[in-house]
Amino acid sequence: MLGYVYKFKIKNVFLLVLVVSGALYFVQFLFLSEVRHPVIVWWTPFMGDHERMITCSKYTCLLSKDRTHVNNKNLQAFLFYGSLFKYEDTPIPKSRIWAVFHEESPRNVALFLYQRTYDVFDITATFSRYSDFPLTLQYLENLTMITDNRYLVSLYEKNRLLDSIAPVLYVQSDCDTPVERDAYIAELMKHIQVDSFGACLNNKHFPKGIADVNSMDLYNDKLLHFIAKYKFVLAFENAICDDYITEKLWRPLVVGSVPVYLGSPSVEDWLPNPSSAILAKNFATPEELANYIHKINANDTLYETFLEHKSGKVENNFLKSTLRKGRFGVDSDQDDLIPAFECFVCQQIHEGVTKRGSKSVYDCIEPKEGNSWEYFWQSGDCQSRALVDSVVNNKSERVSC
Ligand SMILES: *[C@@H]1O[C@H](CO)[C@@H](O)[C@H](O)[C@H]1NC(C)=O
Ligand SMILES: *[C@@H]1O[C@H](CO)[C@@H](O)[C@H](O)[C@H]1NC(C)=O
Ligand SMILES: *[C@@H]1O[C@H](CO)[C@@H](O)[C@H](O)[C@H]1NC(C)=O
């Protein structure tokens, strides 16, 4: 009997504790919920609202552009947009997670030409597959774009068009590059006919309706129909870096032309099929490359082997599985890359950031000696060293580069 009362009391106490703590939790939920969310601050000025809650599957974070949060005890991370990053303007001492989103060509921001710059950050989002949040397929939304035939011009029609247009197309307005692509293409043009519509090596004027297409509108419908008439399209990146692949490669694949590609040395990992592109790196000289293009141009059977993706065949399982993760190959249910990145950081905060691997996320070739970009590389070197020094030694006064 006594034992029973005793048990009963214990049970009651237990219930009481449960009810009280439940009520306390509820009160806290009502009044303090805002406070408990991790705060993430965009340090570089950036698009979007000044401040808002973001919900990322099961996690919530407060995302803000307000630097006064530096004193907020819930502040967990700073986000930096690579193209606007200034080495002399950082929240030193570094006491929070730093995450950088740098989707552009490395040659656009000098200090990002050096791996040591990326090593300062806890989370990186770059074009490299080895970054924490890889943006390698940022110009390819889904696989359907590659297999779709909506822009495809029949080979019969393309051959017929050779009476009035060149077999090869070049459209580029960024002519002074560290990789000196125009010098290569100028040599190529001595051995094969190329229609060049951009500012670089120009020899033709765009037809009406194409000239005024916004250059940021990369997959413009009219532009794609225009490109599709060409059998080959020169796709030379402005920098040669592992995994730096842009619309220059994807556009010809989308429309059903054959890309003649110079850029990422590991581009084969991303091609739909081994023979989806002609790779300039496999030819000793521009003349040899031109001879190969002539050969394919003259043989319809051979030419068709480059367009297998247009009959739905995509052998590359790595490409397929990456694109299955989500739009642009990014593992997220967000509809764009920036919100997806913000959510990635929010999730990392909730789950505990694991310091990224030692794999280099930057592997680009340097400009040739005497190239006008050498100075740019040097200033990047100085900036990147100054950044590392200020972070490691907790220095807020900055060297000027
Ligand atoms: C693939 O991306 C294209 C280009 O934005 C879009 O029009 C199309 O609806 C997408 N298709 C699928 C199946 O998601
Ligand atoms: C065209 O290419 C095919 C496939 O490589 C080859 O079998 C054929 O002999 C070639 N034809 C000529 C005329 O060279
Ligand atoms: C960094 O330097 C500042 C200003 O000199 C100092 O207040 C702070 O305690 C230092 N922090 C660390 C982590 O050394």
Side-chain angles (χ1 to χ4, degrees):
M1 187 70 182
L2 210 71
Y4 177 79
V5 169
Y6 184 63
K7 254 196 217 152
F8 179 77
K9 272 192 180 155
I10 295 231
K11 215 166 140 195
N12 270 350
V13 168
F14 181 70
L15 267 173
L16 191 72
V17 168
L18 209 72
V19 167
V20 169
S21 65
L24 275 176
Y25 185 80
F26 184 68
V27 168
Q28 199 182 11
F29 178 78
L30 277 184
F31 298 103
L32 303 170
S33 60
E34 285 281 305
V35 176
R36 293 201 328 269
H37 295 295
V39 175
I40 301 174
V41 168
W42 269 106
W43 187 262
T44 44
F46 207 49
M47 56 184 147
D49 301 334
H50 186 67
E51 191 159 291
R52 73 198 147 92
M53 297 298 287
I54 53 170
T55 302
C56 311
S57 59
K58 54 184 173 179
Y59 301 124
T60 304
C61 291
L62 179 72
L63 185 73
S64 179
K65 291 197 273 187
D66 192 342
R67 286 188 178 192
T68 61
H69 280 296
V70 287
N71 300 317
N72 184 333
K73 66 178 170 31
N74 293 311
L75 175 66
Q76 296 284 342
F78 288 110
L79 307 185
F80 302 90
Y81 181 56
S83 301
L84 300 174
F85 184 82
K86 302 229 177 329
Y87 73 97
E88 69 277 25
D89 176 27
T90 51
I92 300 284
K94 180 177 180 295
S95 56
R96 299 293 197 284
I97 292 164
W98 283 17
V100 63
F101 185 96
H102 188 43
E103 85 289 18
E104 285 207 55
S105 164
R107 81 97 201 251
N108 292 5
V109 187
L111 86 167
F112 285 111
L113 291 164
Y114 296 89
Q115 174 64 34
R116 71 175 94 86
T117 303
Y118 301 94
D119 291 339
V120 162
F121 297 90
D122 306 286
I123 297 173
T124 60
T126 75
F127 53 78
S128 167
R129 77 186 80 174
Y130 301 116
S131 71
D132 305 287
F133 187 79
L135 306 168
T136 320
L137 297 179
Q138 60 179 303
Y139 296 99
L140 183 65
E141 196 173 323
N142 55 49
L143 201 62
T144 318
M145 289 172 72
I146 297 268
T147 53
D148 192 277
N149 285 336
R150 121 180 35 169
Y151 299 102
L152 188 67
V153 173
S154 73
L155 182 51
Y156 174 83
E157 178 66 9
K158 277 194 240 179
N159 282 334
R160 205 187 58 79
L161 283 166
L162 290 177
D163 290 340
S164 51
I165 65 176
V168 186
L169 171 69
Y170 184 48
V171 179
Q172 195 50 253
S173 299
D174 176 10
C175 314
D176 174 23
T177 61
V179 296
E180 300 177 13
R181 66 180 158 205
D182 277 16
Y184 187 104
I185 290 167
E187 189 58 33
L188 185 79
M189 286 167 87
K190 291 180 188 163
H191 304 284
I192 193 162
Q193 210 191 331
V194 176
D195 282 351
S196 179
F197 290 90
C200 314
L201 304 168
N202 177 278
N203 63 13
K204 280 222 165 171
H205 293 299
F206 273 126
K208 248 189 146 35
I210 302 293
D212 39 78
V213 168
N214 184 336
S215 63
M216 301 300 278
D217 190 2
L218 300 176
Y219 291 95
N220 178 280
D221 207 51
K222 279 191 230 161
L223 183 63
L224 292 184
H225 281 297
F226 173 76
I227 295 173
K229 294 177 190 159
Y230 284 85
K231 289 180 79 173
F232 305 90
V233 176
L234 296 181
F236 280 37
E237 305 290 2
N238 66 16
I240 295 182
C241 312
D242 251 338
D243 289 349
Y244 179 60
I245 298 168
T246 69
E247 83 290 347
K248 292 182 183 63
L249 174 71
W250 304 122
R251 240 177 354 206
L253 292 174
V254 166
V255 304
S257 300
V258 176
V260 178
Y261 183 79
L262 183 72
S264 168
S266 55
V267 67
E268 291 98 324
D269 292 352
W270 300 100
L271 292 177
N273 297 300
S275 67
S276 296
I278 298 171
L279 306 181
K281 67 171 180 177
N282 294 339
F283 298 87
T285 62
E287 183 177 3
E288 280 179 33
L289 173 61
N291 289 340
Y292 186 67
I293 300 172
H294 278 302
K295 180 179 153 191
I296 299 163
N297 189 31
N299 184 332
D300 285 356
T301 317
L302 197 52
Y303 184 85
E304 295 280 18
T305 64
F306 283 83
L307 298 183
E308 284 176 324
H309 52 282
K310 289 302 180 201
S311 41
K313 180 178 151 195
V314 174
E315 277 182 358
N316 186 339
N317 286 324
F318 177 57
L319 177 70
K320 283 196 277 191
S321 62
T322 306
L323 284 170
R324 264 198 300 268
K325 290 181 185 169
R327 292 175 77 206
F328 307 105
V330 161
D331 191 359
S332 175
D333 55 5
Q334 300 296 311
D335 59 2
D336 233 325
L337 290 172
I338 294 290
F341 170 67
E342 292 164 345
C343 271
F344 179 76
V345 175
C346 177
Q347 180 192 336
Q348 294 277 299
I349 290 168
H350 280 277
E351 293 179 355
V353 180
T354 45
K355 178 72 184 160
R356 61 185 188 76
S358 55
K359 206 86 168 134
S360 173
V361 298
Y362 175 82
D363 196 359
C364 301
I365 65 161
E366 293 191 7
K368 293 179 185 160
E369 230 176 285
N371 181 290
S372 58
W373 285 85
E374 269 184 319
Y375 173 75
F376 187 72
W377 252 254
Q378 284 159 12
S379 73
D381 189 29
C382 172
Q383 293 174 19
S384 130
R385 284 176 195 283
L387 172 70
V388 172
D389 184 44
S390 71
V391 171
V392 171
N393 299 313
N394 184 24
K395 282 186 194 160
S396 43
E397 77 280 8
R398 305 302 155 83
V399 188
S400 66
C401 289

